[in-house]
mmCIF file of all heavy atoms in Angstrom:
data_model
loop_
_atom_site.group_PDB
_atom_site.id
_atom_site.type_symbol
_atom_site.label_atom_id
_atom_site.label_comp_id
_atom_site.label_asym_id
_atom_site.label_seq_id
_atom_site.Cartn_x
_atom_site.Cartn_y
_atom_site.Cartn_z
ATOM 1 N N ASP A 2 114.934 183.925 66.458
ATOM 2 C CA ASP A 2 116.140 184.651 66.843
ATOM 3 C C ASP A 2 116.556 184.203 68.244
ATOM 4 O O ASP A 2 115.984 184.613 69.252
ATOM 5 C CB ASP A 2 115.844 186.163 66.818
ATOM 6 C CG ASP A 2 117.085 186.960 67.191
ATOM 7 O OD1 ASP A 2 118.086 186.322 67.578
ATOM 8 O OD2 ASP A 2 117.040 188.186 67.091
ATOM 9 N N GLU A 30 124.171 159.307 90.550
ATOM 10 C CA GLU A 30 124.333 160.612 91.212
ATOM 11 C C GLU A 30 125.513 161.351 90.601
ATOM 12 O O GLU A 30 126.538 160.730 90.283
ATOM 13 C CB GLU A 30 124.699 160.382 92.690
ATOM 14 C CG GLU A 30 123.607 160.407 93.746
ATOM 15 C CD GLU A 30 122.608 161.526 93.599
ATOM 16 O OE1 GLU A 30 122.997 162.694 93.796
ATOM 17 O OE2 GLU A 30 121.440 161.214 93.306
ATOM 18 N N TYR A 34 124.132 163.541 81.998
ATOM 19 C CA TYR A 34 124.341 162.587 80.906
ATOM 20 C C TYR A 34 123.933 163.191 79.556
ATOM 21 O O TYR A 34 122.745 163.279 79.234
ATOM 22 C CB TYR A 34 123.566 161.303 81.187
ATOM 23 C CG TYR A 34 124.029 160.187 80.285
ATOM 24 C CD1 TYR A 34 125.369 159.801 80.256
ATOM 25 C CD2 TYR A 34 123.143 159.524 79.433
ATOM 26 C CE1 TYR A 34 125.810 158.791 79.417
ATOM 27 C CE2 TYR A 34 123.585 158.511 78.597
ATOM 28 C CZ TYR A 34 124.920 158.151 78.602
ATOM 29 O OH TYR A 34 125.363 157.156 77.755
ATOM 30 N N CYS A 82 106.388 148.388 68.304
ATOM 31 C CA CYS A 82 106.542 149.561 69.196
ATOM 32 C C CYS A 82 107.344 150.651 68.491
ATOM 33 O O CYS A 82 107.007 151.841 68.573
ATOM 34 C CB CYS A 82 107.283 149.185 70.478
ATOM 35 S SG CYS A 82 106.442 148.006 71.497
ATOM 36 N N ALA A 84 107.624 151.075 65.311
ATOM 37 C CA ALA A 84 106.824 151.605 64.183
ATOM 38 C C ALA A 84 105.988 152.801 64.625
ATOM 39 O O ALA A 84 105.861 153.787 63.901
ATOM 40 C CB ALA A 84 105.919 150.500 63.639
ATOM 41 N N LEU A 150 129.227 160.723 46.319
ATOM 42 C CA LEU A 150 129.085 161.371 47.624
ATOM 43 C C LEU A 150 129.038 162.889 47.505
ATOM 44 O O LEU A 150 129.897 163.489 46.843
ATOM 45 C CB LEU A 150 130.256 160.971 48.526
ATOM 46 C CG LEU A 150 130.399 159.472 48.757
ATOM 47 C CD1 LEU A 150 131.627 159.166 49.607
ATOM 48 C CD2 LEU A 150 129.149 158.912 49.432
ATOM 49 N N ILE A 221 116.392 152.273 58.504
ATOM 50 C CA ILE A 221 117.126 151.443 59.461
ATOM 51 C C ILE A 221 117.460 152.335 60.652
ATOM 52 O O ILE A 221 117.359 153.565 60.549
ATOM 53 C CB ILE A 221 118.449 150.919 58.840
ATOM 54 C CG1 ILE A 221 119.210 152.112 58.230
ATOM 55 C CG2 ILE A 221 118.170 149.850 57.800
ATOM 56 C CD1 ILE A 221 120.612 151.806 57.837
ATOM 57 N N GLY A 222 117.871 151.741 61.757
ATOM 58 C CA GLY A 222 118.300 152.580 62.881
ATOM 59 C C GLY A 222 118.700 151.741 64.079
ATOM 60 O O GLY A 222 118.466 150.536 64.118
ATOM 61 N N CYS A 223 119.297 152.403 65.053
ATOM 62 C CA CYS A 223 119.876 151.724 66.218
ATOM 63 C C CYS A 223 118.870 151.643 67.365
ATOM 64 O O CYS A 223 118.064 152.554 67.561
ATOM 65 C CB CYS A 223 121.077 152.519 66.745
ATOM 66 S SG CYS A 223 122.366 152.789 65.512
ATOM 67 N N ASP A 265 111.884 122.958 55.657
ATOM 68 C CA ASP A 265 112.067 122.678 54.219
ATOM 69 C C ASP A 265 113.525 122.793 53.836
ATOM 70 O O ASP A 265 114.204 123.689 54.338
ATOM 71 C CB ASP A 265 111.362 123.798 53.432
ATOM 72 C CG ASP A 265 110.085 123.339 52.830
ATOM 73 O OD1 ASP A 265 109.829 122.135 52.872
ATOM 74 O OD2 ASP A 265 109.346 124.221 52.325
ATOM 75 N N SER A 271 109.454 134.652 53.168
ATOM 76 C CA SER A 271 108.209 135.248 53.625
ATOM 77 C C SER A 271 107.888 136.417 52.701
ATOM 78 O O SER A 271 108.789 137.103 52.217
ATOM 79 C CB SER A 271 108.390 135.762 55.058
ATOM 80 O OG SER A 271 107.353 136.656 55.373
ATOM 81 N N PHE A 323 130.686 182.539 75.655
ATOM 82 C CA PHE A 323 132.142 182.386 75.757
ATOM 83 C C PHE A 323 132.759 181.610 74.598
ATOM 84 O O PHE A 323 133.976 181.440 74.523
ATOM 85 C CB PHE A 323 132.522 181.725 77.095
ATOM 86 C CG PHE A 323 131.928 180.340 77.313
ATOM 87 C CD1 PHE A 323 132.569 179.217 76.819
ATOM 88 C CD2 PHE A 323 130.739 180.178 78.013
ATOM 89 C CE1 PHE A 323 132.028 177.949 77.015
ATOM 90 C CE2 PHE A 323 130.197 178.904 78.217
ATOM 91 C CZ PHE A 323 130.843 177.786 77.714
ATOM 92 N N LEU A 329 135.602 177.730 70.745
ATOM 93 C CA LEU A 329 134.594 176.753 70.317
ATOM 94 C C LEU A 329 133.852 177.289 69.100
ATOM 95 O O LEU A 329 133.416 178.445 69.092
ATOM 96 C CB LEU A 329 133.569 176.501 71.430
ATOM 97 C CG LEU A 329 134.064 175.929 72.756
ATOM 98 C CD1 LEU A 329 132.883 175.733 73.709
ATOM 99 C CD2 LEU A 329 134.801 174.612 72.543
ATOM 100 N N GLU A 336 119.120 176.893 63.493
ATOM 101 C CA GLU A 336 117.690 176.778 63.212
ATOM 102 C C GLU A 336 117.191 175.402 63.661
ATOM 103 O O GLU A 336 117.650 174.383 63.143
ATOM 104 C CB GLU A 336 117.402 176.921 61.711
ATOM 105 C CG GLU A 336 117.923 178.201 61.090
ATOM 106 C CD GLU A 336 119.373 178.093 60.631
ATOM 107 O OE1 GLU A 336 120.131 177.274 61.199
ATOM 108 O OE2 GLU A 336 119.741 178.829 59.716
ATOM 109 N N GLU A 349 140.079 172.882 69.076
ATOM 110 C CA GLU A 349 141.370 172.209 69.275
ATOM 111 C C GLU A 349 141.307 171.449 70.595
ATOM 112 O O GLU A 349 140.629 171.889 71.523
ATOM 113 C CB GLU A 349 142.485 173.250 69.362
ATOM 114 C CG GLU A 349 143.157 173.512 68.017
ATOM 115 C CD GLU A 349 144.264 174.522 68.172
ATOM 116 O OE1 GLU A 349 145.258 174.231 68.865
ATOM 117 O OE2 GLU A 349 144.075 175.624 67.617
ATOM 118 N N ILE A 364 128.989 163.954 80.833
ATOM 119 C CA ILE A 364 129.358 162.925 79.852
ATOM 120 C C ILE A 364 128.790 163.264 78.481
ATOM 121 O O ILE A 364 127.574 163.281 78.266
ATOM 122 C CB ILE A 364 128.877 161.526 80.301
ATOM 123 C CG1 ILE A 364 129.482 161.189 81.677
ATOM 124 C CG2 ILE A 364 129.258 160.474 79.254
ATOM 125 C CD1 ILE A 364 129.142 159.807 82.184
ATOM 126 N N GLU A 407 146.527 163.207 82.147
ATOM 127 C CA GLU A 407 145.606 162.055 82.071
ATOM 128 C C GLU A 407 144.498 162.253 81.040
ATOM 129 O O GLU A 407 143.937 161.284 80.540
ATOM 130 C CB GLU A 407 144.997 161.738 83.452
ATOM 131 C CG GLU A 407 144.065 162.772 84.039
ATOM 132 C CD GLU A 407 144.770 163.781 84.959
ATOM 133 O OE1 GLU A 407 145.977 164.050 84.740
ATOM 134 O OE2 GLU A 407 144.111 164.305 85.870
#
Side-chain angles (χ1 to χ4, degrees):
D2 181 353
E30 264 316 292
Y34 195 57
C82 297
L150 302 177
I221 51 169
C223 303
D265 255 351
S271 163
F323 60 86
L329 299 181
E336 304 86 333
E349 266 181 65
I364 302 183
E407 67 267 29

